[in-house]
Amino acid sequence: MADLLAAYHLQTQAEKGEAVAGVDGLPERYRVETTDPQAVFVDDVVLLALSRNTAVGCLVMTASVDGRSEVKRLWTDPAFRGRGIASSLVSAALVHAAESGVSAVRLSVWKWRAGAIALYEQLGFAVTESWDERDQLVCMERAV
């Protein structure tokens, strides 16, 4: 899980034009996820996709607040993309949300990640009013 989160954050920093040489160069709030994900996500739902005992994808969904959960992290190892792993992780998260009484799941995605946005739309998410002030962030939500 830590390796997947590190790859996710390093790629995101590079896409934002703020590339760093390694995990130690990540902003503290992201670096701590890579060093101790179990502690950081202790109250959240963490799903892992495995291939022969190797984690190839992950999803983190927050605990419900006012009937809503948020997908905070979704990443598939680039070598395993195109196999439906991300779709399966999101679908499993939606099932868990429904079983937990969550009424809606939301997420945010950088607008340059067109493939991810298309996937979320395919899975029933729609663009909604932003709850995050960061520039170029698209907020999406789906009823459960």
Side-chain angles (χ1 to χ4, degrees):
M1 173 86 177
D3 290 343
L4 291 169
L5 290 168
Y8 168 85
H9 287 302
L10 291 170
Q11 179 65 36
T12 301
Q13 288 302 113
E15 290 173 358
K16 290 192 288 187
E18 303 169 7
V20 296
V23 171
D24 290 339
L26 290 170
E28 175 64 21
R29 69 180 183 269
Y30 301 139
R31 187 173 54 247
V32 70
E33 287 183 19
T34 68
T35 57
D36 196 1
Q38 188 172 10
V40 173
F41 300 122
V42 68
D43 294 325
D44 302 324
V45 173
V46 177
L47 302 176
L48 287 176
L50 301 174
S51 176
R52 296 190 190 149
N53 297 326
T54 300
V56 297
C58 65
L59 179 144
V60 176
M61 185 172 64
T62 64
S64 176
V65 175
D66 297 326
R68 286 189 174 144
S69 289
E70 183 173 353
V71 173
K72 296 300 288 183
R73 303 287 175 257
L74 174 61
W75 182 255
T76 301
D77 181 323
F80 290 87
R81 291 191 180 156
R83 301 179 190 188
I85 293 169
S87 296
S88 294
L89 286 167
V90 173
S91 295
L94 292 170
V95 167
H96 176 79
E99 291 172 349
S100 301
V102 171
S103 60
V105 174
R106 65 185 195 170
L107 56 86
S108 59
V109 58
W110 295 106
K111 77 176 192 178
W112 59 78
R113 289 187 169 158
I117 292 170
L119 171 67
Y120 298 139
E121 288 174 336
Q122 179 183 3
L123 294 172
F125 287 84
V127 174
T128 189
E129 185 176 328
S130 180
W131 59 81
D132 191 310
E133 296 180 13
R134 290 179 287 174
D135 188 37
Q136 299 193 52
L137 202 61
V138 176
C139 293
M140 303 180 82
E141 188 170 79
R142 178 196 151 146
V144 178

